Amino acid sequence: MNIIVLNSRGHQSRALRLPRHLPGLLLAVLFVIPVMVGVGAYYAMYHWGDPVLDQRMTARWQDELASQRGALDDLNRRTDEELRALTIRLADMQARLMRIDALGERLVDIAGIPSDEFDFSAPAAVGGPEMPEERSLAYTAPSFTQALTDLAVTLDRREEQLSILERLMDNRRIAEKAELSGRPIVRGWLSSRFGQRTDPFSGRLTMHRGVDFAAKDGSDVVATGAGVVTFAGQRWGYGNLVEVNHGNGVATRYAHMKEVLVSAGDIVRAGDVIAIVGSTGRSTGPHVHYEVLRNGRQVDPTPYIVRARR
């Protein structure tokens, strides 16, 4: 390859001969080498750098995914445990509701209340006016757990109220059983009434503070009401004596017994045999001297004797 060089006046020229491979070398320097460098950089960036970056990101993503899976498994486990706990609690509350309903029906039956007047199987009647300012309030659904808690509190209150009512009813039944009625003997006859009479030993007019029932020697003496035996033994004038406290300031005495069959502290029911008819103490023959005391004072037993037991 030749290069002709001219001077400024154009009169003289000079030819330069270049080596044949110089143009190719220049072309390589100007075009080929930059292209190769760019290709190399691209290759290094996308084939050498990215795989390392991708591996790191993949490892981090896998760690995050494993952590999220663990959190999800823990959440599912806790959810299952809470559901099981709520199921058990709901079953317990349903059982308590059944018990309350059964208890209510029992109390209604004991009290003699008409079933249509106090029906435990019917839903509770509720209501009330709606105030105008309350209509604009947004509705907020109650929490399921909070609703269960409120229901449990309501059940506790109802159960406690019904238990108190049951105890009151039982106390009333006990009080009814403690009421005196009937005679202290199974067979016999009234031989002396309460009040003024001629004393069989002195012949003077005296106050007889009980009633006498003549009966067969050795026959049974029964309690005329439920109560607690407060005295069982000998007492002057009474002979062998049994005293029973029936509560509410009422007590009974059974005197002149041949044999006492109970002891102080025993609990007796109406009709229980407590002694045997005899003639101990100040007595003229086999009989039961029967007294009724109210607040420590003898009263006429006749109204209690003729009272019909419920």
Side-chain angles (χ1 to χ4, degrees):
M1 178 177 180
N2 296 327
I3 299 176
I4 299 175
V5 178
L6 299 176
N7 58 10
S8 58
R9 296 180 179 181
H11 298 292
Q12 294 181 355
S13 62
R14 186 178 178 180
L16 297 176
R17 183 177 296 276
L18 300 175
R20 293 183 177 181
H21 60 276
L22 184 60
L25 182 60
L26 294 175
L27 181 62
V29 171
L30 297 176
F31 297 101
V32 176
I33 291 178
V35 172
M36 292 181 64
V37 171
V39 172
Y42 175 82
Y43 185 85
M45 181 179 295
Y46 290 95
H47 292 80
W48 291 350
D50 276 4
V52 176
L53 182 61
D54 290 345
Q55 291 177 0
R56 292 177 180 175
M57 293 181 63
T58 301
R60 186 171 68 251
W61 291 343
Q62 288 178 348
D63 292 340
E64 291 180 357
L65 183 60
S67 176
Q68 292 176 357
R69 286 178 177 173
L72 181 61
D73 293 340
D74 184 63
L75 179 62
N76 289 333
R77 183 176 64 256
R78 286 186 298 171
T79 302
D80 292 339
E81 292 175 355
E82 290 179 358
L83 286 176
R84 285 195 294 268
L86 289 175
T87 301
I88 295 174
R89 189 174 182 185
L90 181 60
D92 179 67
M93 294 170 69
Q94 290 175 342
R96 292 172 61 187
L97 272 175
M98 294 177 62
R99 180 187 172 202
I100 289 176
D101 290 342
L103 178 59
E105 292 176 359
R106 175 187 170 191
L107 294 178
V108 168
D109 181 65
I110 293 175
I113 301 174
S115 59
D116 56 350
E117 182 178 340
F118 200 84
D119 189 1
F120 270 83
S121 62
V126 296
E130 181 183 13
M131 305 305 295
E133 61 272 13
E134 296 177 350
R135 297 178 182 176
S136 60
L137 297 178
Y139 171 76
T140 303
S143 170
F144 180 67
T145 304
Q146 184 62 39
L148 284 178
T149 302
D150 294 341
L151 181 57
V153 172
T154 302
L155 285 175
D156 289 337
R157 292 175 179 174
R158 287 183 58 188
E159 195 172 32
E160 182 179 358
Q161 291 171 350
L162 287 176
S163 298
I164 293 174
L165 180 59
E166 183 182 27
R167 288 196 297 270
L168 291 175
M169 296 294 296
D170 288 340
N171 291 338
R172 191 178 77 175
R173 293 173 62 188
I174 293 174
E176 290 177 353
K177 291 181 178 179
E179 289 183 350
L180 306 180
S181 66
R183 305 188 305 172
I185 58 173
V186 179
R187 291 183 178 85
W189 52 281
L190 182 63
S191 56
S192 180
R193 295 183 179 276
F194 180 88
Q196 296 287 339
R197 72 170 186 178
T198 300
D199 186 272
F201 293 95
S202 65
R204 296 193 301 268
L205 188 64
T206 57
M207 180 65 182
H208 186 223
R209 302 186 182 277
V211 293
D212 293 337
F213 289 94
K216 182 179 180 181
D217 186 34
S219 60
D220 295 335
V221 177
V222 298
T224 56
V228 179
V229 177
T230 56
F231 183 86
Q234 292 186 349
R235 182 177 296 179
W236 184 86
Y238 288 95
N240 291 328
L241 172 70
V242 175
E243 184 171 321
V244 179
N245 189 324
H246 303 278
N248 296 322
V250 178
T252 53
R253 287 175 180 169
Y254 311 79
H256 308 304
M257 301 298 96
K258 181 176 184 178
E259 182 181 358
V260 173
L261 303 180
V262 293
S263 301
D266 289 348
I267 298 176
V268 296
R269 297 171 298 179
D272 286 353
V273 178
I274 58 175
I276 302 299
V277 173
S279 183
T280 59
R282 198 167 181 269
S283 171
T284 61
H287 75 286
V288 178
H289 174 78
Y290 177 62
E291 292 182 4
V292 174
L293 296 89
R294 181 170 292 278
N295 298 322
R297 181 181 178 183
Q298 291 97 337
V299 297
D300 188 359
T302 304
Y304 300 96
I305 295 172
V306 299
R307 175 190 294 171
R309 180 164 298 278
R310 299 176 183 177

